[in-house]
Amino acid sequence: MKAMILAAGRGERLRPLTDSTPKPLLHAGGKALIVWHLERLAAAGWREVVINHAYLGEQIEAALGNGGSFGLRIAYSREPPGALETAGGIAAALPLLGEHPFLTVNGDIWCDWDFSRARDVAQLLDERLAHLVLVSNPPHHPGGDFRLAGKNVQLAVGGSSDALTYAGIGVFRPEFFAGIARGTAMKLRPLLDTGIGLGMISGERHAGRWVDVGTPERLAALDRELARAA
């Protein structure tokens, strides 16, 4: 089973920090955000990781190399300027990800979800196409994205009191992206909404720590938090 770190975003909300540094290489707690992911993946037994990039992607490759220093093998999926959005980027990387279910992780989050759980999730997907990790709604996204009915992910409509936010962590079957022509830019949400409507997406709530590092202020707060915990 392989993992994919989504690292192609421009990071507009993090400017001016991202004017010269790609978002995944911004530091918190003394490490680049993407390094936290790589170290936790390696510790959980992962060996093969795919990273997509576009904006300043050469810096990501120069910083991480082939992954050997982390005990990993890293393959890069290079996207055109402007990138391909989340679903389009994953679809473009399918030749590197193989035929089995894979884990995806947004490169601009910090989360202590146990990556080793992804293997168990993959074995339990059965006829489902995806499994999403959801978290409590952060202050900047109070309306959430979805809700859970048992293990089934449903749409959160009308300000549902039990709405949750997609954590940017999921396990997917390659078939979920098979209808996207390679090189097409496409967001993930429309695919998720369709899959939810068909009852093809399961999920779970993560009660641990999760941070969407989307602004300089949230990055600074995470940096202070990790420094205190060190």
Side-chain angles (χ1 to χ4, degrees), residues 19-95:
D19 285 344
S20 58
T21 302
K23 182 167 50 174
L25 292 185
L26 295 176
H27 279 62
K31 300 176 187 177
L33 294 173
I34 199 167
V35 169
W36 285 100
H37 288 334
L38 292 171
E39 290 182 348
R40 293 187 61 248
L41 285 166
W46 299 81
R47 293 296 173 261
E48 295 188 75
V49 176
V50 175
I51 298 173
N52 68 333
H53 65 69
Y55 174 70
L56 300 179
E58 67 280 357
Q59 290 189 31
I60 295 176
E61 293 199 26
L64 306 178
N66 64 7
S69 61
F70 304 98
L72 299 166
R73 292 188 297 274
I74 296 178
Y76 295 98
S77 179
R78 302 173 183 91
E79 298 182 13
L84 299 174
E85 300 286 359
T86 300
I90 295 172
L94 287 180

Side-chain angles (χ1 to χ4, degrees), residues 11 47 60 64 85 97 99 107 112 129 147 184 195 198-200 227:
R47 293 296 173 261
I60 295 176
L64 306 178
E85 300 286 359
L97 291 165
E99 300 176 354
D112 58 7
L129 292 175
R147 60 182 296 273
T184 300
L198 295 173
M200 302 298 288

Side-chain angles (χ1 to χ4, degrees), residues 145-230:
D145 301 306
F146 309 111
R147 60 182 296 273
L148 284 173
K151 294 182 178 179
N152 297 314
V153 175
Q154 298 181 348
L155 298 177
V157 294
S160 304
S161 60
D162 56 353
L164 298 167
T165 291
Y166 175 47
I169 301 173
V171 177
F172 296 93
R173 291 187 179 277
E175 305 94 276
F176 191 63
F177 303 95
I180 304 175
R182 192 173 182 188
T184 300
M186 184 173 180
K187 295 181 181 295
L188 181 60
R189 184 61 191 260
L191 280 186
L192 293 178
D193 288 353
T194 298
I196 289 169
L198 295 173
M200 302 298 288
I201 299 181
S202 62
E204 64 182 81
R205 181 174 187 169
H206 174 59
R209 192 72 178 102
W210 174 84
V211 179
D212 168 18
V213 190
T215 65
E217 294 76 18
R218 294 204 292 270
L219 177 66
L222 176 63
D223 183 46
R224 293 191 295 269
E225 176 185 343
L226 295 175
R228 287 194 301 267

Side-chain angles (χ1 to χ4, degrees), residues 85-159:
E85 300 286 359
T86 300
I90 295 172
L94 287 180
L96 298 172
L97 291 165
E99 300 176 354
H100 302 291
F102 51 85
L103 168 70
T104 66
V105 185
N106 285 2
D108 58 355
I109 65 167
W110 193 98
C111 188
D112 58 7
W113 187 72
D114 182 2
F115 286 141
S116 66
R117 272 196 42 72
R119 298 186 188 89
D120 297 330
V121 167
Q123 293 177 355
L124 296 174
L125 278 180
D126 296 324
E127 74 281 359
R128 298 180 190 268
L129 292 175
H131 180 90
L132 307 182
V133 178
L134 307 177
V135 294
S136 297
N137 301 328
H140 61 275
H141 190 57
D145 301 306
F146 309 111
R147 60 182 296 273
L148 284 173
K151 294 182 178 179
N152 297 314
V153 175
Q154 298 181 348
L155 298 177
V157 294

